[in-house]
Amino acid sequence: MSAPEGFWLFFAGISLLAVVLTVCDKHRAVRHRYRIRKPLAWVAFAGGAAAMFLTMLIIRHKTRHVKFMLGLPVFMLLHAGALLILQWTFHLPVILLLFGR
């Protein structure tokens, strides 16, 4: 498995986990059950911020919480910065990391 394939597999997996956790938390909120709080932030930090942000907007979940509506875009900017640092450190074009050969 090449680096771009591994990157995309990780990104797809963490994004899917972010969507599932967000929908599950919304379902629990509607039913007044125990909520998923800390794992949401960790999954967003690990790379699922974009998927979580879009899911929250689509299902209208936590859209009034400033820490999520501002925090998730900050995580997305951090992820973009990390990609640029990887590019600079390893002298790889970001296009190669994102799209392969």
Side-chain angles (χ1 to χ4, degrees):
M1 178 184 320
S2 67
E5 290 171 354
F7 171 79
W8 280 115
L9 282 175
F10 173 78
F11 185 70
I14 203 75
S15 295
L16 181 63
L17 181 62
V19 169
V20 169
L21 283 176
T22 305
V23 171
C24 183
D25 190 54
K26 170 71 172 188
H27 182 72
R28 287 174 173 259
V30 169
R31 298 188 184 278
H32 304 290
R33 300 180 91 197
Y34 181 74
R35 305 285 297 282
I36 304 168
R37 296 207 188 269
K38 299 265 187 223
L40 286 175
W42 284 110
V43 169
F45 181 73
M52 188 177 292
F53 187 71
L54 289 174
T55 304
M56 286 182 173
L57 290 177
I58 290 169
I59 66 173
R60 292 189 280 187
H61 182 54
K62 294 188 183 265
T63 55
R64 292 184 182 178
H65 296 311
V66 175
K67 69 179 179 181
F68 278 100
M69 290 297 105
L70 293 178
L72 291 175
V74 167
F75 283 163
M76 288 186 275
L77 289 174
L78 289 174
H79 297 151
L83 280 176
L84 292 175
I85 289 171
L86 282 174
Q87 174 199 9
W88 183 73
T89 303
F90 297 108
H91 304 288
L92 293 172
V94 172
I95 296 296
L96 179 65
L97 181 62
L98 296 178
F99 300 108
R101 301 174 209 161

